[in-house]
Amino acid sequence: MPDLSFVTQRLPGVSVISVAGEVDAATAGRLDRYIRRSRRVPGEHVVIDLSEAQFMGSSGLRVLLNTHAYARQHGGSLRLAAPPPKLARIMEITQAHTVLHVHATVEQAVLAALGNPAPESLGPSAEDRGRDAV
């Protein structure tokens, strides 16, 4: 089984989950279970730090998209932070970055999750996409 590890840092109003290793079909379930166990409440704001993620396949993206949907249904949010260039490119190719909030740094993602807009977001926010549609 490929190496995959997680660490959670609890901050006021948001939990930051750092992911290190490869998230593929064999390990995506572990990521999903870890995120579910790490939530303090269903509507919690969550930041996933991807700076140490070496690979993310379609199964991993599905976990992130499902986590995003669950958080939104319960009044929370999911923010992704610091994806390495290869992961950022996968998100662009799959258009996942149009749904998921992707930020260049963990700090920007945390600030955005707490309602303080962070500059340098790598993907449009829902608010920005809504304004573009008008």
Side-chain angles (χ1 to χ4, degrees):
M1 181 178 289
D3 287 341
L4 184 63
S5 62
F6 315 100
V7 175
T8 300
Q9 180 182 9
R10 307 259 186 222
L11 302 173
V14 65
S15 286
V16 178
I17 299 172
S18 298
V19 177
E22 297 184 6
V23 183
D24 57 19
T27 60
R30 289 177 52 206
L31 173 61
D32 187 45
R33 287 187 298 276
Y34 187 86
I35 292 170
R36 289 173 189 259
R37 283 193 314 263
S38 295
R39 281 191 197 104
R40 292 177 277 205
V41 295
E44 179 178 38
H45 298 296
V46 177
V47 170
I48 307 286
D49 175 4
L50 296 172
S51 61
E52 297 297 319
Q54 297 161 351
F55 173 81
M56 180 158 308
S58 60
S59 298
L61 283 177
R62 186 182 71 246
V63 168
L64 297 179
L65 289 165
N66 289 341
T67 300
H68 168 74
Y70 182 87
R72 286 193 59 177
Q73 288 172 353
H74 292 90
S77 68
L78 172 70
R79 305 284 173 159
L80 305 180
K86 287 182 182 179
L87 261 60
R89 182 72 180 130
I90 290 169
M91 287 183 208
E92 287 176 29
I93 290 169
T94 62
Q95 297 292 301
H97 73 292
T98 64
V99 175
L100 300 171
H101 301 280
V102 184
H103 302 272
T105 67
V106 172
E107 180 182 13
Q108 289 171 352
V110 168
L111 289 172
L114 296 175
N116 302 317
E120 309 285 330
S121 176
L122 301 177
S125 70
E127 297 81 16
D128 290 340
R129 285 192 311 276
R131 279 194 286 265
D132 292 343
V134 174

